[in-house]
Amino acid sequence: MDTRYDHNRSEAEIYESWENSGFFNPDNLSGKPFTIIMPPPNANGSLHIGHALFVTLEDIMIRYYRMRGRKALWLPGADHAGFETQVVYNKKLEREGRSFWDVPKKDLYDEIKKFTLENKQYMESQLRKLGSSCDWSREKFTLDEDIKDIVYETFESLYKDGLVYRAERPVNWCVKHQTTLSDLEIKHEERADKLYYVKYSLEDGNGFVEIATVRPETIPADVAVAVHPKSRFKEFVGKNVLNPITGKPIPVISDASVDPDFGTGALKITPYHDSADFNIWVAHKKEIPDLPVSVIDRYGKLTDEAGKELRDLKIKEARDKSLELLGNKLIKEEEYSHEVAVCYKCGSVIEPRVMMQWFVRMTDAPAKGKSLRDLAVNAVKSGKIKIIPARFGKVLMHWLMNLRDWNISRQIVWGIRIPVWYCENDHVIISEPVPEKCPECNSNNFKAEEDVFDTWFSSGQWPFATLMTKRGDFQKFYPTDVMETGWDILPFWVMRMIMFGIYRTGKVPFKTVYLHGLVRDKDRQKMSKSKGNVINPLEVAETYGMDALRMSLIIGNTAGMDPIISEDKIRGYRNFTTKIWNASRFVLMDYTEPEKKPKLSARDRKNIRDMEAAKNKVSRFIEKFDFNHAAETAYHYFWHTFADVVIEESKPRLKSDNERDAAAARETLVTILLGSLKMLHPFMPFVTETVYQELPKKVRREKFLMVEHWQ
RNA sequence: GGACGGUUAGCUCAGUUGGUAGAGCGUCUCGUUUACACCGAGAAGGUCACAGGUCCGAGUCCUGUACCGUCCACCA
């Protein structure tokens, strides 16, 4: 054995031999299946420390259960990550001095595809470096044709069941990215604005209603004024007031959702630029003669409907101009701090717009069966899905109870096109590619739906979609055992996988959800490129070894907690790697295979039992998803029992003239070493496998430690 | 405005049915022996945020308070 362990050389070699062995593929294993579907990383950049964390957690489980004699499947994948990737690519073009909007759509798609596939390949090489013992032969990409076909089927089935519908409704529009976003993709930020108090005079000249607004530029789109039934303006209900900018009469209506204590207790109703207003408008359509109009276009500019004074102005300019137009109808303005919806990516203010979009119905089931929400609620409540840590079960419930219908249409190029065609008579045909003729009117003149799916609509189907693409896999591996992912995507992904999984297959997609946290630096800061505190997992692994990095991500971390990681910590586990190497080297230094099995002393037998006890403890911890204590137990046993005590005590015996006793000592050491390597292998696969390959053939039962039997 | 989490040794964190406080790193002292100084032996260091309560007994359960953090939210 070399005096020093060269992790850089060893890791690459070992991984290659594992991969070539075929044991990553469960078809070459026997036993009861154990399945994890890997959360497919976004193929739009390189892997960060968070990926290293999830890979380590999942690899620990897979390696452990593989050694326990299970048919272990870890199915890897990559996500095209529609909007996310488009944003990344947009920035890349900006850096290159090109404009995203000048590239023709078709070319853009091809460019992003090329970019994504390159990244995907790079990412796969990084996953290998991390030690992922996943089955590459089953790797899936979210844009694979067979995956897309399953996504289309789900969409069609949802449509037939009335769980997907198309409607003109208020949606979140990002002016910068030129697309709608789901409610989950917007954040709320505190902004300092002004609250303007505006006088809406009664048509009959007898008084006025005072209204507070932050958006005077939308006044031309007002269709009514709403007051609380008990407000001081209640006597005006049924009368008309004059729009203070256009002069048009609009009715005063009464609605209980107006807060009598906020502002003036009266609200202007601008249905196309505020979703609350839209709901009030829907409820009071009969009392409101005017149809709503849009006065702000997709670029955030005022439209013709806003009148010639405001037309073509940007929102901010239009705001100033509208104040000018209000003249003495502007009573006062006050400083006002409030929460504004912004795009989670670029931070620009989300413009509520009313658009024709596709929605998934979440909370009721018009046709048959249970709502998507209820499917998920029942699975969680009944315990068919266990969530670790348990408190996230409550968080998930909270999400489920507050669901609204989900807008799945995106006006971006990078994604799976919604497989819908509209014939000239406006019939909807779900098909891909284009149908021959409309089944309802036989027309063969179609207009394609141009929007693509929200990425989460397709990735929400990942567990069953991936397994349905290979014959026999679904029956064998579904439901999967564990879904291991970050708590930050609980509502985006986990919740939807549960709903779609049960909807499509009648079974939960996974039995346990294990949620990890966000990796932070030693000052508890989120890692980001702009803060310069990013730890590149591949770089630190080159310095300290992947085993050290893996240990530092696991130890001192519990489910759902944000792990803290620093270079000091990684260095500490590098020292442990060295310790494993040197202790092993010592044990194997003078090891000679005994001609007959030496008789072990009572003390020897006890030492071996202690090792077995530690190994059993590791098993129990892993099975309880307590990886922290599992790793700590193995670490502590190896260093402070095996190395510090057992090896030290053996030294005089090894030196002594009593050859029988020396042989017993050697035998004990090598037995304990093998057991120790096993219990450390899930956590530190590289160094343990490297040492295993140095063990004498008679001691080894298998070609690889990876497939040694745990016991 | 709601919800959730945290507060334990200088630092980062464990503490699984309530039973006299644990680990790693750091600090200090000593030590070079058949692996390893990326080492060994040993030591110091905590009124478990605060205030009540339940209990024979509370870091652990209950109530409240403070501070820190996170998430959600159509009060214009």
Side-chain angles (χ1 to χ4, degrees):
Chain A
M1 271 175 97
D2 298 339
T3 43
R4 279 196 102 78
Y5 172 61
D6 178 358
H7 57 260
N8 284 322
R9 199 191 72 201
S10 177
E11 287 174 10
E13 279 175 15
I14 289 284
Y15 192 89
E16 210 188 324
S17 59
W18 282 334
E19 196 174 348
N20 293 337
S21 78
F23 291 128
F24 288 173
N25 185 337
D27 297 343
N28 299 322
L29 303 167
S30 54
K32 189 180 155 203
F34 177 84
T35 311
I36 296 179
I37 306 293
M38 180 189 293
N42 295 348
N44 56 26
S46 49
L47 298 188
H48 54 72
I49 196 89
H51 293 107
L53 174 64
F54 96 64
V55 163
T56 305
L57 287 164
E58 293 168 29
D59 199 42
I60 287 170
M61 291 186 258
I62 288 292
R63 285 182 186 275
Y64 171 74
Y65 285 105
R66 188 186 291 122
M67 291 174 84
R68 291 306 299 241
R70 301 277 293 268
K71 203 179 199 29
L73 168 61
W74 188 16
L75 191 151
D79 196 334
H80 71 283
F83 180 60
E84 291 269 340
T85 301
Q86 180 159 319
V87 170
V88 170
Y89 199 76
N90 193 340
K91 283 188 189 150
K92 180 178 181 284
L93 287 179
E94 273 172 22
R95 280 198 302 275
E96 292 168 359
R98 297 165 67 197
S99 166
F100 190 86
W101 309 107
D102 293 345
V103 184
K105 260 186 149 184
K106 172 74 178 71
D107 295 349
L108 200 52
Y109 185 93
D110 291 341
E111 278 190 41
I112 300 179
K113 184 171 180 184
K114 186 165 169 278
F115 171 78
T116 303
L117 293 178
E118 280 167 12
N119 275 297
K120 177 171 170 288
Q121 204 175 15
Y122 181 55
M123 204 181 72
E124 288 155 3
S125 76
Q126 292 188 309
L127 284 172
R128 287 180 164 87
K129 286 190 174 157
L130 292 168
S132 322
S133 63
C134 54
D135 181 8
W136 292 107
S137 77
R138 282 180 167 83
E139 188 192 13
K140 296 308 291 180
F141 179 45
T142 49
L143 296 185
D144 286 345
E145 291 305 320
D146 47 7
I147 294 284
K148 276 158 59 176
D149 285 344
I150 290 166
V151 170
Y152 297 149
E153 279 169 30
T154 305
F155 179 77
E156 186 167 10
S157 166
L158 287 165
Y159 181 72
K160 285 182 179 155
D161 286 347
L163 294 171
V164 142
Y165 64 92
R166 188 168 179 248
E168 201 167 35
R169 299 228 328 227
V171 286
N172 308 305
W173 178 260
C174 175
V175 172
K176 175 171 160 125
H177 291 122
Q178 291 291 299
T179 182
T180 57
L181 297 170
S182 73
D183 294 337
L184 294 180
E185 289 159 319
I186 58 172
K187 291 188 304 183
H188 294 266
E189 268 182 13
E190 185 149 322
R191 292 282 163 98
D193 270 314
K194 286 206 168 88
L195 192 56
Y196 302 97
Y197 288 78
V198 180
K199 194 188 280 186
Y200 283 59
S201 304
L202 274 124
E203 191 178 24
D204 61 19
N206 294 322
F208 61 89
V209 177
E210 192 182 330
I211 286 177
T213 179
V214 285
R215 303 206 63 185
E217 71 277 12
T218 64
I219 289 176
D222 289 355
V223 295
V225 162
V227 302
H228 189 270
K230 288 179 182 161
S231 85
R232 60 185 163 124
F233 300 116
K234 61 178 184 288
E235 67 214 67
F236 297 152
V237 173
K239 294 185 176 185
N240 281 340
V241 291
L242 299 174
N243 183 310
I245 288 184
T246 65
K248 273 189 77 171
I250 52 175
V252 178
I253 58 172
S254 163
D255 193 286
S257 69
V258 182
D259 182 348
D261 299 322
F262 184 86
T264 63
L267 184 62
K268 73 190 201 63
I269 300 302
T270 322
Y272 276 13
H273 297 291
D274 187 292
S275 67
D277 290 8
F278 184 87
N279 292 339
I280 294 179
W281 171 68
V282 169
H284 295 271
K285 263 185 193 174
K286 283 185 202 137
E287 306 153 53
I288 301 173
D290 287 354
L291 283 175
V293 290
S294 283
V295 291
I296 296 170
D297 70 9
R298 61 185 295 155
Y299 303 107
K301 283 191 174 169
L302 280 279
T303 63
D304 291 349
E305 260 83 13
K308 47 176 181 290
E309 302 275 5
L310 297 175
R311 176 174 54 201
D312 289 338
L313 296 180
K314 285 186 181 163
I315 289 169
K316 258 199 100 174
E317 302 161 352
R319 189 167 298 174
D320 294 341
K321 185 72 186 175
S322 62
L323 295 174
E324 200 183 305
L325 296 175
L326 283 169
N328 62 5
K329 295 197 183 70
L330 179 64
I331 302 165
K332 63 170 177 178
E333 51 185 72
E334 8 182 90
E335 297 299 326
Y336 181 55
S337 166
H338 65 148
E339 299 278 331
V340 177
V342 297
C343 169
Y344 81 115
K345 274 289 156 193
C346 67
S348 46
V349 174
I350 290 294
E351 201 51 51
R353 295 182 75 210
V354 172
M355 294 173 69
M356 188 61 102
Q357 303 273 281
W358 285 96
F359 293 86
V360 177
R361 197 181 299 277
M362 305 302 268
T363 55
D364 46 41
K368 56 168 188 182
K370 292 195 169 70
S371 68
L372 290 174
R373 178 195 16 222
D374 289 347
L375 293 179
V377 166
N378 293 342
V380 177
K381 270 196 183 158
S382 67
K384 283 197 179 121
I385 294 181
K386 190 180 161 199
I387 294 171
I388 297 172
R391 67 169 191 275
F392 279 104
K394 276 194 275 183
V395 176
L396 180 56
M397 275 300 171
H398 186 82
W399 277 108
L400 287 166
M401 296 332 282
N402 290 287
L403 275 177
R404 290 193 294 163
D405 286 357
W406 171 21
N407 173 12
I408 51 169
S409 298
R410 293 292 174 277
Q411 295 69 46
I412 58 177
V413 298
W414 184 233
I416 302 174
R417 194 185 71 86
I418 297 177
V420 168
W421 305 84
Y422 308 101
C423 81
E424 57 198 329
N425 297 314
D426 268 344
H427 297 128
V428 171
I429 300 109
I430 297 178
S431 167
E432 187 68 12
V434 63
E436 276 179 27
K437 58 178 185 179
C438 173
E440 283 181 73
C441 65
N442 285 333
S443 156
N444 58 1
N445 186 7
F446 296 104
K447 199 172 151 289
E449 169 65 58
E450 289 188 2
D451 291 351
V452 303
F453 285 120
D454 179 345
T455 305
W456 300 105
F457 180 79
S458 50
S459 51
Q461 305 178 41
W462 199 237
F464 64 82
T466 50
L467 291 173
M468 280 173 175
T469 57
K470 187 164 192 246
R471 180 184 282 274
D473 273 7
F474 181 79
Q475 286 70 22
K476 228 178 276 170
F477 299 109
Y478 192 95
T480 68
D481 289 273
V482 181
M483 173 47 64
E484 192 289 325
T485 189
W487 55 254
D488 52 324
I489 52 174
L490 183 66
F492 288 92
W493 197 42
V494 178
M495 180 173 84
R496 275 114 180 220
M497 283 191 289
I498 297 174
M499 294 190 291
F500 287 153
I502 303 174
Y503 172 75
R504 274 293 303 261
T505 73
K507 287 182 193 163
V508 295
F510 28 72
K511 294 165 207 154
T512 302
V513 177
Y514 178 96
L515 297 164
H516 64 249
L518 260 62
V519 182
R520 308 200 178 239
D521 74 5
K522 60 181 188 302
D523 302 317
R524 293 210 127 271
Q525 296 293 304
K526 212 164 164 170
M527 292 196 181
S528 70
K529 281 178 195 147
S530 54
K531 282 189 198 128
N533 60 350
V534 181
I535 292 186
N536 178 330
L538 286 313
E539 263 173 38
V540 292
E542 223 160 274
T543 312
Y544 300 111
M546 191 54 74
D547 293 324
L549 175 64
R550 289 169 60 119
M551 283 296 265
S552 65
L553 287 165
I554 297 305
I555 293 192
N557 179 22
T558 45
M561 288 285 290
D562 292 347
I564 312 286
I565 191 162
S566 64
E567 204 162 322
D568 281 349
K569 189 173 177 185
I570 302 167
R571 192 181 300 119
Y573 292 106
R574 187 276 316 269
N575 295 354
F576 181 52
T577 310
T578 310
K579 190 77 186 177
I580 295 174
W581 185 255
N582 283 307
S584 306
R585 204 156 56 84
F586 176 78
V587 171
L588 298 177
M589 206 156 43
D590 300 321
Y591 185 78
T592 44
E593 275 176 39
E595 284 170 20
K596 60 172 196 215
K597 223 166 159 62
K599 189 166 166 18
L600 304 185
S601 69
R603 175 77 181 170
D604 289 334
R605 291 196 304 271
K606 184 191 177 291
N607 284 337
I608 291 171
R609 280 200 307 276
D610 286 350
M611 178 276 291
E612 292 295 347
K615 184 144 59 69
N616 288 337
K617 217 168 141 185
V618 171
S619 307
R620 283 199 301 276
F621 280 130
I622 292 180
E623 285 165 27
K624 281 177 10 188
F625 300 92
D626 187 350
F627 307 110
N628 169 27
H629 286 111
E632 211 172 78
T633 300
Y635 170 90
H636 206 266
Y637 174 77
F638 191 93
W639 199 321
H640 301 300
T641 301
F642 181 45
D644 290 349
V645 180
V646 179
I647 289 183
E648 290 305 322
E649 280 178 1
S650 75
K651 285 179 181 175
R653 293 170 67 199
L654 295 173
K655 268 196 293 199
S656 83
D657 296 336
N658 183 344
E659 177 44 36
R660 283 181 58 187
D661 189 48
R666 283 198 297 270
E667 194 58 24
T668 305
L669 290 181
V670 89
T671 304
I672 296 181
L673 175 61
L674 175 62
S676 300
L677 292 175
K678 287 185 195 173
M679 79 172 103
L680 283 162
H681 181 74
F683 311 97
M684 307 179 77
F686 292 108
V687 67
T688 51
E689 184 72 79
T690 309
V691 172
Y692 183 82
Q693 297 301 327
E694 300 281 345
L695 294 181
K697 291 224 163 48
K698 275 202 181 147
V699 176
R700 282 156 51 185
R701 277 183 301 191
E702 303 289 343
K703 213 165 166 233
F704 293 97
L705 178 58
M706 180 176 71
V707 287
E708 263 279 354
H709 200 276
W710 182 259
Q711 259 134 2

